[in-house]
Structure formats: structure tokens, C-alpha cells
């Protein structure tokens, strides 16, 4: 980690309705925010991920609202600790993101905010699927070390401007994201193009644990969301 996070007095614990389940989340809405970023964490992680919380704080300092949620219920997390299969159930995770997106659209405190997704690892695959299902709502996507290969059929239908960020040492994931970038840019008939970009952070591994590398991710994400959610 690049630095220690401080507790945010604006952070509120919320219960997010996603289909038939309730998901716990941490919501921060800075004054005068015009956009909100919904986080989709990676396999085996949670809304308490220090990496995602670090990025969220940087976004908050840029004036963006953030919502970090657990994509699985407590009971499902207990099952997944034993079986490790739900964390790779992209259809399930994407459906939870869609439900959380609909919650944002109807919640009085967030319905005026433009919606973006920040996805990490397998969460990025789920975010791309969810974005394809809500193309008129999701306005921007950032993927950190993402697995877009888990969402191949959805990629041509992602309308939102999408930034793929990969570490320079994460060679297998670079290849996956290069292939995904081509598919993201292949549009169905009648679809207008939107920006799709791959950014490789030099000398960084999959989790961006090297000094300054996660800060680079946060800066790139902040610039992307600030531009497309305002």
C-alpha cells in the first residue's frame, strides 16, 4: 500500500437491494458530487479490500461518490471459502452489480449521479457484463488487473468508455486485456464508438504492490472518471 487510509466521517453503511438479496455496502457522497463509482472487487476479496479503499479515497478527494459493496451475502461467502466457486460465477456477480446499479438509480441520495464501475480481477469481468446489461446507465468503466476474458460475449456490447489498467509484469493478463480491447472496439451494427484504452503501468505486478504503482492506478482512474462522469 502507498499510505495508510484514515476513516472517512462521510462514510455510511448501507443495505443495497440486489434482486432477492441484501448486500452490505459503504457509501460516500462528497458535496457537489456529479458521479458515483460502484466497486466490484476481485476473487476472494471484499468491500474492505485496502487496495479498493485506497482508490475509493482518491476518487472521493476528486469529488466523486463511491459505493463499495460485498457481491456475496455472508452465507454465500462462507460457502465460497470452502468451495471457491462463487467468486468465479460471473453471471451471479454481474446480476448483483445490475441490482446495485438499479438501487443507485432509484435511491433518493444517488439517483442524480452518473454511474461508473471500478472492477478488479474477476470483478472487472462482472462489471463488463453488467455494463452491457445497463448500457444507458453506466457511463464509464475502469478495470484494474481485470479478467475481461471471463466476459467475452458481453464485450462488443459495452457502450461506456472503458479504461483497462494492467501491470507491466503481469504478462498473462496483458495478453487477455489486449484481446479484450479488440473485442471492445468491435461494435454491433448501429452502435457509435466510445473510447476504449489499455494502460500498462511499468514495473507493476498483478496487485500493484510496488511503491507508487497503486497510486498510478488511482490517478488514472480518477482522471477517467472525473472526465466521463462530469
Amino acid at each position: 500500500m502507498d499510505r495508510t487510509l484514515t476513516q472517512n466521517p462521510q462514510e455510511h453503511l448501507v443495505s443495497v437491494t440486489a434482486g432477492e438479496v441484501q448486500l452490505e455496502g459503504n457509501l460516500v457522497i462528497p458535496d457537489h458530487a456529479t458521479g458515483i463509482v460502484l466497486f466490484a472487487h476481485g476473487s476472494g476479496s471484499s468491500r474492505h479490500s485496502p487496495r479498493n479503499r485506497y482508490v475509493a479515497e482518491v476518487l472521493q478527494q476528486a469529488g466523486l461518490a463511491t459505493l463499495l459493496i460485498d457481491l456475496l451475502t455472508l452465507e454465500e461467502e462462507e460457502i465460497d471459502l470452502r468451495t471457491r466457486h462463487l467468486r468465479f460465477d460471473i453471471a451471479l456477480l454481474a446480476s448483483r452489480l445490475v441490482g446495485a446499479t438499479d438501487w443507485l438509480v432509484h435511491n433518493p441520495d444517488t439517483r442524480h449521479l452518473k454511474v461508473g464501475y471500478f472492477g478488479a480481477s474477476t470483478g472487472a469481468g462482472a462489471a463488463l457484463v453488467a455494463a452491457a446489461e445497463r448500457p444507458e446507465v453506466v457511463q464509464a468503466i475502469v478495470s484494474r488487473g481485470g479478467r475481461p476474458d471471463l466476459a467475452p460475449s458481453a464485450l462488443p456490447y459495452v457502450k461506456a468508455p472503458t479504461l483497462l489498467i494492467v501491470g507491466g509484469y503481469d504478462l498473462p493478463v496483458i495478453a487477455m486485456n489486449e484481446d479484450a480491447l479488440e473485442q471492445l472496439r468491435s461494435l454491433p451494427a448501429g452502435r457509435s464508438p466510445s473510447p476504449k484504452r489499455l494502460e500498462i503501468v511499468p514495473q507493476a505486478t498483478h496487485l500493484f504492490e510496488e511503491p507508487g504503482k497503486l497510486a498510478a492506478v488511482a490517478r488514472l482512474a480518477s482522471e477517467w472518471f472525473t472526465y466521463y462522469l462530469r
Side-chain angles (χ1 to χ4, degrees):
M1 288 299 300
D2 294 74
R3 63 184 179 83
T4 302
L5 291 175
T6 56
Q7 186 174 2
N8 189 336
Q10 295 178 306
E11 187 171 85
H12 301 283
L13 182 65
V14 294
S15 181
V16 177
T17 302
E20 298 180 352
V21 301
Q22 298 292 122
L23 304 174
E24 290 190 346
N26 297 88
L27 176 67
V28 175
I29 306 177
D31 293 337
H32 312 299
T34 58
I36 185 166
V37 178
L38 174 56
F39 280 69
H41 55 73
S43 58
S45 187
S46 74
R47 74 181 192 277
H48 302 296
S49 160
R51 284 176 290 275
N52 279 353
R53 288 186 64 83
Y54 172 81
V55 174
E57 187 179 81
V58 172
L59 298 183
Q60 293 156 16
Q61 291 171 352
L64 292 161
T66 62
L67 175 61
L68 291 90
I69 62 171
D70 289 327
L71 298 178
L72 301 177
T73 65
L74 291 176
E75 294 78 10
E76 290 169 339
E77 286 180 357
E78 291 179 2
I79 295 171
D80 188 61
L81 285 174
R82 298 192 302 270
T83 66
R84 296 181 178 270
H85 75 284
L86 291 176
R87 65 186 66 183
F88 294 104
D89 190 337
I90 300 301
L92 172 64
L93 301 180
S95 71
R96 299 288 168 80
L97 282 175
V98 168
T101 303
D102 293 343
W103 182 86
L104 289 174
V105 170
H106 293 99
N107 186 292
D109 295 328
T110 57
R111 62 189 178 193
H112 64 289
L113 300 172
K114 295 181 179 179
V115 177
Y117 287 162
F118 183 92
S121 190
T122 53
L128 290 164
V129 173
E133 293 189 27
R134 291 292 184 272
E136 303 307 320
V137 176
V138 181
Q139 302 295 311
I141 304 167
V142 174
S143 162
R144 172 182 65 80
R147 293 289 308 277
D149 58 300
L150 299 175
S153 61
L155 295 179
Y157 297 94
V158 174
K159 183 178 179 180
T162 302
L163 175 63
L164 308 174
I165 306 174
V166 186
Y169 290 150
D170 200 5
L171 299 181
V173 177
I174 289 176
M176 294 173 188
N177 279 262
E178 287 175 337
D179 291 342
L181 186 64
E182 291 186 15
Q183 296 178 62
L184 283 165
R185 288 174 170 171
S186 63
L187 300 172
R191 175 67 58 84
S192 300
S194 62
K196 308 291 195 302
R197 194 173 98 215
L198 172 61
E199 189 79 32
I200 298 176
V201 178
Q203 300 178 327
T205 51
H206 184 64
L207 296 179
F208 299 88
E209 296 175 304
E210 298 76 18
K213 301 308 179 184
L214 190 61
V217 171
R219 175 181 56 80
L220 289 165
S222 179
E223 291 171 352
W224 194 263
F225 286 128
T226 298
Y227 186 82
Y228 288 107
L229 298 185
R230 286 184 176 176

